[in-house]
Coordinates of all heavy atoms in Angstrom, one line a residue:
V1 N -22.6 -1.0 4.5 CA -23.4 -0.7 5.8 C -22.7 0.4 6.6 O -23.0 0.6 7.7 CB -23.5 -2.0 6.6 CG1 -24.4 -3.0 5.9 CG2 -22.2 -2.6 7.0
G2 N -21.8 1.2 6.0 CA -21.3 2.4 6.6 C -20.1 2.1 7.6 O -20.0 2.8 8.5
I3 N -19.3 1.2 7.2 CA -18.1 0.9 8.0 C -16.8 0.9 7.1 O -16.8 0.1 6.2 CB -18.2 -0.4 8.8 CG1 -19.3 -0.3 9.8 CG2 -16.9 -0.7 9.6 CD1 -19.6 -1.6 10.6
G4 N -15.9 1.7 7.3 CA -14.7 1.9 6.5 C -13.5 1.6 7.4 O -13.5 1.7 8.6
V5 N -12.4 1.3 6.7 CA -11.1 1.1 7.3 C -10.0 1.9 6.7 O -9.9 1.9 5.5 CB -10.7 -0.4 7.2 CG1 -9.3 -0.6 7.9 CG2 -11.8 -1.3 7.8
L6 N -9.3 2.6 7.5 CA -8.1 3.4 7.2 C -6.9 2.8 7.8 O -6.8 2.8 9.0 CB -8.3 4.9 7.5 CG -7.0 5.8 7.4 CD1 -6.7 5.9 5.9 CD2 -7.3 7.1 7.9
A7 N -6.0 2.2 7.0 CA -4.9 1.5 7.5 C -3.6 2.1 7.1 O -3.5 2.5 5.8 CB -4.9 0.0 7.2
A8 N -2.6 2.3 7.9 CA -1.3 2.9 7.6 C -0.2 1.9 7.8 O -0.2 1.1 8.8 CB -1.1 4.2 8.4
L9 N 0.8 1.9 6.9 CA 2.0 1.1 7.2 C 3.1 1.7 6.5 O 3.0 2.6 5.6 CB 1.7 -0.4 6.7 CG 1.8 -0.7 5.2 CD1 2.0 -2.1 4.9 CD2 0.5 -0.2 4.5
Q10 N 4.3 1.3 6.9 CA 5.6 1.9 6.3 C 6.2 1.0 5.2 O 6.9 1.5 4.4 CB 6.6 2.0 7.5 CG 6.2 3.0 8.6 CD 7.2 3.2 9.6 OE1 8.4 3.1 9.4 NE2 6.7 3.4 10.8
D11 N 5.9 -0.3 5.2 CA 6.6 -1.2 4.3 C 5.5 -1.7 3.3 O 4.6 -2.4 3.7 CB 7.2 -2.4 5.0 CG 8.0 -3.3 4.1 OD1 7.8 -3.2 2.8 OD2 8.9 -4.0 4.6
P12 N 5.5 -1.3 2.0 CA 4.5 -1.7 1.1 C 4.6 -3.0 0.4 O 3.8 -3.4 -0.4 CB 4.6 -0.5 0.1 CG 6.1 -0.3 0.0 CD 6.6 -0.4 1.4
R13 N 5.6 -3.8 0.8 CA 5.7 -5.2 0.2 C 4.5 -6.0 0.4 O 3.8 -5.9 1.4 CB 7.0 -5.9 0.7 CG 8.3 -5.2 0.3 CD 9.4 -5.9 0.9 NE 9.4 -5.8 2.4 CZ 10.0 -6.6 3.2 NH1 10.8 -7.5 2.8 NH2 9.9 -6.4 4.5
K14 N 4.2 -6.9 -0.6 CA 3.0 -7.7 -0.6 C 3.0 -8.6 0.6 O 2.0 -8.9 1.2 CB 2.9 -8.5 -1.9 CG 1.7 -9.4 -2.0 CD 0.5 -8.5 -2.4 CE -0.8 -9.3 -2.7 NZ -1.9 -8.5 -3.1
E15 N 4.2 -9.2 1.0 CA 4.3 -10.2 2.0 C 4.0 -9.5 3.4 O 3.7 -10.2 4.4 CB 5.6 -10.9 2.0 CG 6.8 -10.0 2.1 CD 7.4 -9.6 0.8 OE1 6.6 -9.5 -0.2 OE2 8.6 -9.4 0.7
V16 N 4.1 -8.2 3.4 CA 3.9 -7.5 4.7 C 2.3 -7.1 4.8 O 1.8 -7.2 5.9 CB 4.7 -6.2 4.7 CG1 4.3 -5.3 6.0 CG2 6.2 -6.5 4.9
M17 N 1.7 -6.8 3.6 CA 0.3 -6.4 3.7 C -0.4 -7.2 2.6 O -0.5 -6.7 1.5 CB 0.1 -5.0 3.5 CG -1.3 -4.4 3.5 SD -2.0 -4.7 5.2 CE -3.5 -3.8 5.0
N18 N -0.7 -8.5 2.8 CA -1.2 -9.3 1.8 C -2.7 -9.0 1.4 O -3.2 -9.6 0.5 CB -1.1 -10.8 2.1 CG -1.7 -11.2 3.4 OD1 -2.5 -10.5 4.0 ND2 -1.5 -12.4 3.8
I19 N -3.4 -8.1 2.1 CA -4.7 -7.8 1.8 C -4.8 -6.3 1.3 O -5.9 -5.7 1.3 CB -5.7 -7.9 3.0 CG1 -5.3 -7.0 4.2 CG2 -5.7 -9.4 3.4 CD1 -6.3 -7.0 5.3
R20 N -3.7 -5.7 0.9 CA -3.7 -4.3 0.4 C -4.6 -4.1 -0.7 O -5.2 -3.0 -0.9 CB -2.3 -3.9 0.2 CG -1.7 -4.4 -1.1 CD -0.3 -3.9 -1.3 NE 0.3 -4.5 -2.5 CZ 1.6 -4.5 -2.7 NH1 2.5 -4.1 -1.8 NH2 2.1 -5.0 -3.8
N21 N -4.9 -5.1 -1.6 CA -5.7 -4.9 -2.7 C -7.2 -4.7 -2.3 O -8.1 -4.4 -3.1 CB -5.6 -6.0 -3.8 CG -4.3 -6.0 -4.5 OD1 -3.7 -4.9 -4.6 ND2 -3.9 -7.1 -5.0
L22 N -7.5 -5.0 -1.0 CA -8.9 -4.9 -0.6 C -9.2 -3.4 -0.2 O -10.3 -3.1 0.2 CB -9.1 -5.7 0.6 CG -9.0 -7.3 0.3 CD1 -9.3 -8.1 1.6 CD2 -9.9 -7.7 -0.8
F23 N -8.1 -2.6 -0.3 CA -8.3 -1.1 0.0 C -8.4 -0.4 -1.3 O -7.4 -0.2 -2.0 CB -7.1 -0.6 0.8 CG -7.1 -1.1 2.3 CD1 -6.5 -2.4 2.5 CD2 -7.6 -0.4 3.3 CE1 -6.5 -2.9 3.8 CE2 -7.6 -0.9 4.6 CZ -7.0 -2.1 4.8
P24 N -9.6 0.1 -1.7 CA -9.8 0.6 -3.1 C -9.2 2.0 -3.3 O -8.7 2.3 -4.4 CB -11.3 0.7 -3.2 CG -11.8 0.8 -1.7 CD -10.9 0.0 -1.0
D25 N -9.1 2.8 -2.2 CA -8.4 4.1 -2.3 C -7.1 4.0 -1.6 O -7.0 3.5 -0.5 CB -9.3 5.2 -1.7 CG -10.6 5.3 -2.3 OD1 -10.7 5.1 -3.5 OD2 -11.7 5.6 -1.6
K26 N -6.0 4.6 -2.3 CA -4.7 4.4 -1.7 C -4.0 5.8 -1.6 O -4.2 6.7 -2.5 CB -3.9 3.4 -2.6 CG -4.5 2.0 -2.6 CD -3.9 1.2 -3.6 CE -4.4 -0.3 -3.6 NZ -5.8 -0.4 -4.1
I27 N -3.1 5.9 -0.6 CA -2.3 7.1 -0.5 C -0.9 6.7 -0.3 O -0.6 5.8 0.5 CB -2.8 7.9 0.8 CG1 -4.3 8.3 0.7 CG2 -2.0 9.2 0.9 CD1 -4.8 8.9 2.0
A28 N 0.0 7.4 -1.0 CA 1.4 7.1 -0.9 C 2.1 8.4 -0.5 O 2.0 9.5 -1.1 CB 2.1 6.7 -2.2
L29 N 2.8 8.4 0.7 CA 3.6 9.5 1.1 C 5.1 9.2 0.5 O 5.2 8.5 -0.4 CB 3.6 9.6 2.6 CG 2.2 9.8 3.2 CD1 2.3 9.9 4.7 CD2 1.5 11.0 2.7
R30 N 6.1 9.8 1.2 CA 7.4 9.6 0.6 C 7.8 8.2 0.7 O 7.7 7.5 1.7 CB 8.4 10.5 1.4 CG 9.9 10.4 0.8 CD 10.8 11.4 1.5 NE 11.0 11.0 2.9 CZ 11.8 10.2 3.3 NH1 12.7 9.6 2.5 NH2 12.0 9.9 4.6
L31 N 8.3 7.7 -0.5 CA 8.8 6.3 -0.6 C 10.3 6.3 -1.0 O 10.7 7.2 -1.6 CB 8.0 5.5 -1.6 CG 6.5 5.3 -1.3 CD1 5.7 4.8 -2.5 CD2 6.3 4.4 -0.1
D32 N 10.9 5.2 -0.7 CA 12.4 5.1 -0.9 C 12.8 4.7 -2.3 O 13.7 5.2 -2.9 CB 13.0 4.1 0.1 CG 12.9 4.5 1.5 OD1 12.9 5.7 1.8 OD2 12.8 3.6 2.4
E33 N 11.9 3.9 -3.0 CA 12.3 3.4 -4.3 C 11.1 3.6 -5.3 O 10.0 3.5 -4.9 CB 12.7 1.9 -4.2 CG 13.8 1.6 -3.2 CD 13.9 0.1 -3.0 OE1 13.2 -0.6 -3.6 OE2 14.8 -0.3 -2.1
S34 N 11.5 3.7 -6.6 CA 10.4 3.9 -7.5 C 9.5 2.7 -7.7 O 8.3 2.9 -7.9 CB 11.1 4.2 -8.9 OG 12.0 3.1 -9.3
E35 N 10.0 1.5 -7.5 CA 9.2 0.4 -7.5 C 8.1 0.3 -6.5 O 7.0 -0.3 -6.7 CB 10.0 -0.9 -7.4 CG 11.0 -1.2 -8.6 CD 12.3 -0.4 -8.4 OE1 12.5 0.3 -7.3 OE2 13.2 -0.4 -9.3
Q36 N 8.4 1.0 -5.4 CA 7.4 1.0 -4.3 C 6.1 1.8 -4.7 O 5.0 1.5 -4.1 CB 8.0 1.5 -3.0 CG 9.1 0.7 -2.5 CD 9.7 1.3 -1.2 OE1 9.7 2.5 -1.0 NE2 10.3 0.4 -0.4
V37 N 6.3 2.7 -5.6 CA 5.1 3.5 -5.9 C 4.0 2.7 -6.5 O 2.8 2.8 -6.1 CB 5.5 4.6 -7.0 CG1 4.3 5.4 -7.4 CG2 6.6 5.5 -6.4
D38 N 4.3 1.8 -7.4 CA 3.3 0.9 -8.0 C 2.8 -0.1 -7.0 O 1.7 -0.6 -7.0 CB 3.8 0.2 -9.3 CG 3.9 1.1 -10.5 OD1 3.6 2.3 -10.3 OD2 4.3 0.7 -11.6
M39 N 3.7 -0.5 -6.0 CA 3.3 -1.4 -5.0 C 2.1 -0.8 -4.2 O 1.1 -1.5 -3.8 CB 4.4 -1.7 -4.0 CG 5.5 -2.6 -4.6 SD 6.7 -2.9 -3.3 CE 8.1 -3.6 -4.3
V40 N 2.2 0.5 -3.9 CA 1.2 1.1 -3.1 C 0.0 1.6 -3.9 O -1.2 1.3 -3.5 CB 1.8 2.4 -2.4 CG1 0.7 3.1 -1.6 CG2 2.9 1.9 -1.4
L41 N 0.3 2.2 -5.0 CA -0.9 2.9 -5.8 C -1.4 2.1 -6.9 O -2.4 2.4 -7.5 CB -0.4 4.3 -6.3 CG 0.1 5.3 -5.2 CD1 0.6 6.6 -5.9 CD2 -1.1 5.6 -4.4
G42 N -0.7 1.0 -7.3 CA -1.2 0.1 -8.3 C -0.3 0.3 -9.6 O 0.4 1.3 -9.8
D43 N -0.4 -0.7 -10.4 CA 0.4 -0.8 -11.7 C 0.3 0.5 -12.5 O -0.9 0.9 -12.8 CB 0.1 -2.0 -12.5 CG 0.5 -3.3 -11.8 OD1 1.4 -3.2 -10.9 OD2 0.0 -4.3 -12.2
G44 N 1.4 1.1 -12.9 CA 1.3 2.2 -13.8 C 1.2 3.6 -13.1 O 1.2 4.6 -13.8

């Protein structure tokens, strides 16, 4: 119905953002650890 959400956060851990999988498009800026990349952008 034409309503979108753009949400930003600094900590990508699941316990911090437990609904992150509801955001289909994802953007990762500079991250501290390699494991965080898949947390933000998805496995692989």
Side-chain angles (χ1 to χ4, degrees):
V1 295
I3 299 177
V5 179
L6 171 64
L9 76 163
Q10 297 181 35
D11 188 342
R13 290 175 299 162
K14 185 75 171 181
E15 57 267 29
V16 173
M17 184 61 171
N18 60 9
I19 61 169
R20 69 182 182 200
N21 289 338
L22 299 181
F23 291 84
D25 299 327
K26 300 174 176 65
I27 303 171
L29 302 179
R30 185 173 65 86
L31 296 170
D32 294 328
E33 303 170 1
S34 59
E35 294 82 4
Q36 293 178 339
V37 177
D38 285 1
M39 288 182 192
V40 176
L41 298 177
D43 292 343

